[in-house]
Amino acid sequence: MHSIFHAAAAVFLLHFFLTVTFSVGIRTIGGGDGSGPGFGFSEAPDYRNGVECPVSVNKEVVSSCDPDLVHVAMTLDSEYLRGSIAAVHSVLRHASCPENVFFHFIAAEFDPASPRVLSKLVRSTFPSLNFKIYIFREDAVINLISSSIRQALENPLNYARNYLGDILDLCVDRVIYLDSDLVVVDDIHKLWNTALTNSRVIGAPEYCHANFTKYFTDGFWSDPVLSRVFHSRRPCYFNTGVMVMDLVRWREGNYRKRIENWMEIQRKRRIYELGSLPPFLLVFAGNVEAIDHKWNQHGLGGDNVRGSCRSLHTGPVSLLHWSGKGKPWVRLDARNPCPLDHLWKPYDLYKGSSIKDRSSFPSSIFLGFSSYLS
């Protein structure tokens, strides 16, 4: 009984702190009353830099190449759009210098909501946001994807993170990759300042107590040639939904091809059951810059089959991640939320319209698009 009481008290306190904006560098301007053309989303408050924030060299034009900015990459599609908008909102709300964050959105070529529609929607929801949308050609990876234990994991856009070194402008040499089913409740600049030591390519929270063997089939572990990949490493599980990536080292090491090689083996041998995670483990596990666990309180969506409720891991929280089958917006709409889903709700800007009705969107375009493998 005492443990239940303490858990409930912890959730209440966390909810209180998360719903109060306290970043010292922010000047907040009114907005979000839903009266504007939000196309299903209310306009977010206009989070601005405080006087403490560094000023970019080029103050007039914000460039995706500006190394002084925090660069964040996310996918953007109609199915997870509500989660993506909430994630962006959370980053801005807690960033010490929100105008110094640049978002790189990866959109699928054949999504029901076109990149133009998504651009219009993002701009109407976040009028002052620094962002660029890139078009991901799904045929770049479609023939490498094998079946998974959950159909959602087979979405080609899940594999876009493998191609960030190719998709993003070559001038972008470092990026934070974030999944769409999370909220950041701390200053993103702290994560950005993570040092990748010893020529490591990525940084992420590691979980060395997890049963690493379960991520691969018995056939993989019984094959001396395949399993030898881990002989010189101490592999630990990490979740690919939150990563700091050095894109210069990524491109120089041709890590996209290394991941693709394992996907090709999977098509022939069936060495794992999950989607885009195992190839990352095969290439990087044991050689990851370990980031504090508070930056990925993952698994809040339950497992990949039932999506049952989960509790927080012990320790501080900087990022809440609903990895797994259950998504907070789905459970909240069904009036069957898990307790922690209420921590996601303060960042939700959705107001009910369907983005699949494209008749209300003008055909004008608001920024240039880049197309990978066009």
Side-chain angles (χ1 to χ4, degrees):
M1 178 65 70
H2 286 293
S3 62
I4 294 174
F5 173 79
H6 289 309
V11 169
F12 173 79
L13 288 173
L14 186 58
H15 182 268
F16 172 79
F17 284 116
L18 298 191
T19 52
V20 177
T21 302
F22 53 84
S23 297
V24 295
I26 293 179
R27 175 173 62 88
T28 305
I29 301 174
D33 61 358
S35 59
F39 301 110
F41 292 87
S42 299
E43 182 179 322
D46 194 8
Y47 299 105
R48 294 288 184 175
N49 286 356
V51 295
E52 308 90 350
C53 296
V55 179
S56 179
V57 176
N58 190 346
K59 295 184 291 184
E60 300 300 324
V61 180
V62 177
S63 168
S64 62
C65 295
D66 191 338
D68 295 327
L69 302 180
V70 173
H71 294 268
V72 178
M74 298 178 63
T75 58
L76 201 62
D77 68 333
S78 55
E79 183 176 1
Y80 281 84
L81 182 62
R82 187 170 171 185
S84 298
I85 294 295
V88 172
H89 186 203
S90 72
V91 170
L92 297 176
R93 183 167 178 171
H94 293 281
S96 55
C97 301
E99 290 182 276
N100 291 5
V101 182
F102 194 101
F103 285 88
H104 303 263
F105 295 120
I106 317 300
E109 183 180 18
F110 300 114
D111 190 83
S114 71
R116 286 185 174 87
V117 169
L118 294 173
S119 173
K120 172 67 174 177
L121 191 147
V122 171
R123 179 58 69 204
S124 64
T125 307
F126 304 103
S128 60
L129 188 70
N130 302 317
F131 75 94
K132 182 174 182 177
I133 291 184
Y134 305 76
I135 301 173
F136 179 55
R137 291 279 301 274
E138 296 180 8
D139 57 3
V141 71
I142 192 70
N143 293 326
L144 293 172
I145 297 175
S146 56
S147 60
S148 180
I149 61 173
R150 183 159 60 94
Q151 188 173 4
L153 299 177
E154 301 170 22
N155 185 335
L157 205 57
N158 285 338
Y159 295 83
R161 73 196 85 189
N162 303 3
Y163 298 88
L164 290 179
D166 304 278
I167 298 173
L168 303 190
D169 298 326
L170 288 176
C171 58
V172 180
D173 56 15
R174 181 182 174 90
V175 73
I176 296 172
Y177 175 82
L178 297 178
D179 271 352
S180 298
D181 52 357
L182 55 77
V183 291
V184 177
V185 296
D186 201 348
D187 186 359
I188 194 72
H189 291 78
K190 298 177 183 177
L191 182 59
W192 178 254
N193 290 331
T194 300
L196 299 181
T197 62
N198 299 322
S199 300
R200 292 190 175 98
V201 180
I202 65 172
E206 287 186 306
Y207 302 88
C208 295
H209 63 278
N211 180 9
F212 191 80
T213 59
K214 72 177 183 179
Y215 294 100
F216 302 96
T217 63
D218 292 340
F220 170 83
W221 292 114
S222 63
D223 189 310
V225 176
L226 294 178
S227 60
R228 189 172 58 194
V229 68
F230 293 124
H231 283 184
S232 61
R233 297 186 258 162
R234 181 174 176 265
C236 295
Y237 164 77
F238 65 95
N239 180 280
T240 53
V242 180
M243 295 185 290
V244 179
M245 308 175 68
D246 186 317
L247 294 183
V248 175
R249 295 172 185 169
W250 179 281
R251 295 175 183 121
E252 290 175 348
N254 199 8
Y255 284 93
R256 170 183 63 81
K257 183 57 179 174
R258 298 189 196 190
I259 290 173
E260 287 180 337
N261 287 342
W262 283 110
M263 294 176 68
E264 290 171 355
I265 293 173
Q266 161 73 354
R267 294 278 290 180
K268 301 173 184 175
R269 298 284 303 274
R270 195 66 183 178
I271 59 175
Y272 53 80
E273 300 297 337
L274 290 173
S276 59
L277 169 64
F280 261 84
L281 297 178
L282 287 161
V283 173
F284 291 109
N287 193 24
V288 173
E289 187 71 38
I291 296 175
D292 195 305
H293 289 174
K294 68 181 183 179
W295 283 105
N296 195 352
Q297 286 264 352
H298 68 289
L300 303 185
D303 59 27
N304 282 302
V305 179
R306 294 182 297 274
S308 53
C309 295
R310 294 274 180 89
S311 58
L312 287 174
H313 310 297
T314 57
V317 180
S318 292
L319 186 149
L320 298 158
H321 186 187
W322 280 261
S323 58
K325 184 178 180 181
K327 303 306 173 188
W329 56 92
V330 175
R331 296 192 294 217
L332 285 164
D333 285 354
R335 291 180 168 78
N336 188 32
C338 294
L340 292 178
D341 294 345
H342 295 287
L343 301 179
W344 178 87
K345 190 172 177 58
Y347 305 98
D348 184 20
L349 296 173
Y350 184 65
K351 61 181 184 181
S353 303
S354 172
I355 66 162
K356 293 183 179 180
D357 179 11
R358 288 181 276 179
S359 61
S360 60
F361 289 96
S363 59
S364 58
I365 187 168
F366 286 80
L367 72 165
F369 296 103
S370 293
S371 177
Y372 172 58
L373 294 181
S374 56

